[in-house]
Amino acid sequence: MRSSNSAAESLLKHAYFAYLCTLSVDLYPHVVPVFFVFDDATHCIYILTSPSTKKILNMKDNPRVSLSIDSRDPVNPFNNEGLIIQGSVELGYFEESSDETIQPSLASLFQAFEEKYPAFKFRGEVGLEESSEILVKVMPLKVVYWRGPTFQTIHI
Amino acid sequence: MGGHNYIENKINKYSWIRKVSAGNNKNAEEHFTDRAFWLLEEGFFAYLGTADAEGTPHVTPVIFVHDKRKIFFLTSKIAKKLKNIRENRRVALLIDVRDPLDFYNNRAVLVQGKAKPYGLLDSMMHLPTLLRVRRLLSEKYPKYQAKYAAEKSRLPGPWRTTLHFSRLLVEVSIERMSYMRGASQIASGSMPQIARASTS
């Protein structure tokens, strides 16, 4: 059996969607599927989405989020596996760094998105304007890997 | 491309949707409600979002059934989601159906509502609901039920009985639903509108 860390790595690389949970000010949860890539160097998850959405409004008020990234077997529930991540976010694009272990370049992030989602047309601009995408950086604080009925806390 | 047909063909399998959708004077509200309920019917998993009283969210997949007013799922007594629900009854469930060929044709419904775990007393008082949910679950997930029955010894204690007292039933009263296609929200409505449309 694969170790939970290599299973987690595979989910982070290959799962199509992440399900992002944000909270409104009155603590109502909101869940949506999002495109994401995982950056090995910084151990952060990056999400690309439209700026004028409920999830962005929620994250401006409360940067704490949760993500579920999973893979499903419709026949055997013992093969279901996934990650539940709790963490906090930074919105928009942050300072460029020449050291990619601190901050991947925008170009490399876009390339990662384009390779993972070849069918989707990213607008290629990052900012807060209606016409651009907004980048969300998720810094994981707690990660739980589960397979079938067993759960364990891991580090990614 | 076949993308459009993939979802439309699935929708058309449900005769009750065809029936409700047949009227020419159908308004957008009813249309949205049909599609949203279709997702509740077709969706295999729901992503359940909960939050503790301090505002830390948590999202986890669950299997679920519904009766158009309420959504039901089971939880282990030691689960984080249950702890959160006891602190804050507000929950969200995202249920989606993906078109394997065309991302822009994916459909999802976001349900928001208030959750209520069934304690022992609730379970006794609402035995018919409990039995109905048990039947709905075994109709919707026959393969899962069979696997669980066959491999009971692999299950940790809180999972061993499929329903009742070591796992709790949680009921979510639907307050609001939003229907999404591709990346855009198409329509949303609060429960009074939804109830009106679904009974008309």
Side-chain angles (χ1 to χ4, degrees), chain A residues 17 19 23 26-31 35 62 64-68 70 72-75 77 80 84 86 120 146 149, chain B residues 45 47 49 51 53-59 61 88 90-92 94 96 98 103-104 106 110 112-113 144 148 156 175:
Chain A
F17 283 124
Y19 292 82
L23 296 181
D26 61 353
L27 299 188
Y28 233 121
H30 186 268
V31 181
F35 290 133
N62 179 351
R64 283 175 282 184
V65 301
S66 180
L67 286 169
S68 193
D70 66 343
R72 294 316 190 115
D73 183 331
V75 176
N80 289 339
I84 296 168
Q86 291 180 291
F120 191 76
W146 56 272
Chain B
F45 298 103
Y47 292 83
E54 277 76 52
T56 306
H58 187 262
V59 58
N88 171 17
R90 299 174 184 98
V91 302
L94 188 282
D96 60 350
R98 295 185 210 169
F103 162 79
Y104 294 96
N106 286 348
L110 175 67
Q112 292 176 307
Y144 274 24
Y148 283 138
E175 293 194 343

Side-chain angles (χ1 to χ4, degrees), chain B residues 7-24:
Chain B
I7 297 274
E8 292 302 319
N9 290 344
K10 275 172 155 300
I11 290 173
N12 287 331
K13 279 198 313 200
Y14 292 90
S15 55
W16 60 268
I17 290 187
R18 269 207 310 279
K19 204 163 60 204
V20 194
S21 307
N24 288 332

Side-chain angles (χ1 to χ4, degrees), chain A:
Chain A
M1 202 194 228
R2 290 180 306 162
S3 78
S4 50
N5 276 81
S6 67
E9 199 179 307
S10 171
L11 284 164
L12 288 167
K13 284 225 159 63
H14 304 297
Y16 196 74
F17 283 124
Y19 292 82
L20 170 72
C21 182
T22 59
L23 296 181
S24 60
V25 273
D26 61 353
L27 299 188
Y28 233 121
H30 186 268
V31 181
V32 278
V34 291
F35 290 133
F36 76 101
V37 296
F38 177 66
D39 180 58
D40 285 320
T42 54
H43 304 278
C44 288
I45 291 164
Y46 292 86
I47 294 167
L48 209 47
T49 184
S50 310
S52 55
T53 52
K54 177 68 179 164
K55 55 185 172 294
I56 296 294
L57 292 176
N58 281 353
M59 288 186 284
K60 282 178 179 165
D61 284 324
N62 179 351
R64 283 175 282 184
V65 301
S66 180
L67 286 169
S68 193
I69 297 172
D70 66 343
S71 125
R72 294 316 190 115
D73 183 331
V75 176
N76 187 349
F78 291 96
N79 291 339
N80 289 339
E81 60 173 354
L83 297 169
I84 296 168
I85 296 162
Q86 291 180 291
S88 62
V89 296
E90 275 176 17
L91 297 181
Y93 202 71
F94 355 101
E95 65 280 17
E96 286 274 3
S97 167
S98 55
D99 181 355
E100 292 225 349
T101 60
I102 297 167
Q103 182 66 58
S105 70
L106 263 185
S108 66
L109 277 175
F110 266 105
Q111 193 187 342
F113 275 105
E114 277 162 6
E115 279 167 12
K116 187 169 177 192
Y117 304 101
F120 191 76
K121 299 279 174 286
F122 291 104
R123 284 171 282 189
E125 277 175 58
V126 173
L128 288 164
E129 301 77 37
E130 184 61 37
S131 62
S132 57
E133 310 279 348
I134 184 166
L135 198 60
V136 180
K137 175 186 183 180
V138 182
M139 293 160 284
L141 298 173
K142 184 180 181 192
V143 182
V144 172
Y145 169 74
W146 56 272
R147 183 178 173 86
T150 54
F151 289 75
Q152 72 182 108
T153 301
I154 62 162
H155 294 281
I156 57 171

Side-chain angles (χ1 to χ4, degrees), chain B residues 67 72 118 126-134 163 169 171:
Chain B
D67 70 1
F72 301 94
Y118 276 43
H126 302 282
L127 197 59
T129 306
L130 215 63
L131 294 174
R132 193 158 44 90
V133 169
R134 191 184 158 99
L163 192 48
L169 176 66
E171 169 192 292

